[in-house]
Amino acid sequence: MIINMEDYIVSARKYRPKTFDEVAGQEAITSTLQNAISNNQLAQALLFTGPRGVGKTSCARILAKMINSTIDNENQDFAYNIFELDAASNNSVDDIRNLTEQVRIPPQIGKYKVYIIDEVHMLSTSAFNAFLKTLEEPPKHCIFILATTEKHKIIPTILSRCQIYDFKRINNKDIVNYLIKICNKEEVKFETEALEIIANKADGAMRDALSIFDRILSYNNKEITVKDVSLNLNVLDQEVFSKSIDLILENNIPELLLLIDSVISKGFEGVNFISGLSTYCRNLLISKNDKTIILLDYSEKSKDKMIDQAKKVTAEVIIHCLELLNKCEINYRSSINQRLLVELTIMQLGSLTLADKKKT
C-alpha cells in the first residue's frame, strides 16, 4: 500500500499562530508588543527569551509582519522585508559580516527590514563582537528580533542594547484550551482528562503538546481518550492514584499490593508509581487550602475531584505520605530489591492511620 504523505502537515505547523490573538499563554507580551507598534515605540533591537516551544519564533514572525503593515497597505506582502537567520548553523564571523552588509541596504518597499536571529546564544564570541557595532547603531530602517532559550549565554554588551521580553511556560489550562479548539476544528472526540495528561507531559511547551497530540492521533484518529494517552505516553492515570489514597485511608494493604502488581505488570517501573503518587499527594495538600487551590493546574472537573478527596484526609497524613514516598524515591536506584522497597513503602502508607483507628 502506498501512503501519500504530501498532504500531511504536523499540527505545530498547521496551527502556528498567525496573529497575536492566536498566541496562547503570552498575553502580557503580545499586548505590550501591539501597544508598542500602535504608539510607534518599538525598540530597534528586541530579545525574546524563554523555554523552547512557548511561542518566541512565532511571535517574532507575527511582529515582523506587523511592523510594515498599516491600514492602507495591510494586504501587501512584506515577506521580502523579513530575513531569518538560524544562529545554530550560521554562527561564524563571516555569517555576521554578510548580515551586516545586507543591513546597510534600505528596503525597496515598506519602511523597515526585519532580521530574526534564532538561537542567538549559539553565536561565537567573535561573531557577537562583530554584531555589536551594528546593534549599537542600527540603521533607521532595520529592526532586529533575537530569540534564545539561554539568555545567560549572551554577552552583557548585547543584552544591554536589547529590549528583553521573557516568555513564560504555558500553563496546562491554556494548552488544554488550545487543544480543544484543534479537536473541534478536526472533528476529533476527546476526553478533557486526556488532554490534561498531554498538557502535563508537555511541561509548558505548546510545540511539545502538539507533537504529542499528533502522536496520539496517529494511534486513534477519531478519539483521544485517557486510556490511549496513558498507554502511548507511558503515564499512569490519575484514577490509579485516587484509588491508592482511598485504599491507604482504608488501611487496605492487600488491595494496595495488588494495585502495585497491576501497575508493574503493565510495564511501569515501581518508581513511576511512587513519583506519580508523590505529585498526587502534593496536589491533595494544596487542595486543602482555599489560597493554594490556584496552584492546581487542572480543569475545574479534575479540581473538584481532588478537593473532594482532600476533605477525607488530614494534612498530617498527607505530609507523612510525602515523607515516605520521597525516601523511597531517593533509595530506589541504589536498592538491590526495588520491588520490595516499593511494596514496603506501600505497606507503611497503608498503616499510617491504623494507630488513630485503634485509639478510637
Side-chain angles (χ1 to χ4, degrees), residues 43-47 99 103 113-117 131 134-135 138-139 142-146:
Q44 281 193 268
L46 302 95
L47 176 66
L99 178 68
V103 164
K113 290 170 78 173
V114 185
Y115 291 86
I116 300 171
I117 304 178
F131 186 43
T134 302
L135 205 61
C142 281
I143 290 178
F144 294 97
I145 306 174
L146 316 180

Side-chain angles (χ1 to χ4, degrees), residues 298-311:
Y298 292 105
S299 67
E300 291 305 316
K301 183 179 177 182
S302 297
K303 276 185 182 180
D304 290 341
K305 285 182 182 178
M306 191 77 69
I307 291 167
D308 286 342
Q309 190 169 40
K311 293 174 183 176

Side-chain angles (χ1 to χ4, degrees), residues 100-238:
T100 53
E101 287 296 322
Q102 292 179 30
V103 164
R104 297 175 187 175
I105 306 168
Q108 293 182 347
I109 58 169
K111 192 175 179 181
Y112 295 103
K113 290 170 78 173
V114 185
Y115 291 86
I116 300 171
I117 304 178
D118 208 0
E119 304 294 346
V120 70
H121 65 275
M122 298 289 283
L123 290 178
S124 64
T125 303
S126 52
F128 268 129
N129 290 330
F131 186 43
L132 188 58
K133 184 65 177 175
T134 302
L135 205 61
E136 191 173 25
E137 297 176 4
K140 291 183 179 179
H141 61 263
C142 281
I143 290 178
F144 294 97
I145 306 174
L146 316 180
T148 180
T149 53
E150 301 185 53
K151 183 173 70 173
H152 61 279
K153 290 186 179 179
I154 299 174
I155 59 175
T157 45
I158 294 286
L159 291 176
S160 65
R161 287 160 176 80
C162 295
Q163 196 171 76
I164 300 173
Y165 291 84
D166 288 299
F167 284 67
K168 63 181 181 179
R169 291 183 182 278
I170 303 171
N171 65 46
N172 287 1
K173 186 177 179 181
D174 287 333
I175 292 176
V176 169
N177 288 337
Y178 200 82
L179 294 177
I180 288 173
K181 289 179 184 177
I182 295 175
C183 286
N184 291 334
K185 283 183 181 179
E186 299 290 336
E187 297 182 349
V188 174
K189 294 179 182 179
F190 63 90
E191 293 176 0
T192 305
E193 289 86 351
L195 300 183
E196 286 178 358
I197 295 172
I198 293 174
N200 192 52
K201 190 76 172 179
D203 194 25
M206 183 65 78
R207 188 170 62 234
D208 288 1
L210 292 172
S211 296
I212 296 169
F213 178 79
D214 285 345
R215 179 173 152 191
I216 304 302
L217 278 185
S218 66
Y219 178 78
N220 182 353
N221 62 4
K222 294 180 181 179
E223 189 175 10
I224 296 180
T225 65
V226 170
K227 183 180 178 182
D228 289 345
V229 172
S230 299
L231 179 66
N232 276 272
L233 299 184
N234 201 34
V235 294
L236 286 163
D237 185 359
Q238 292 294 301

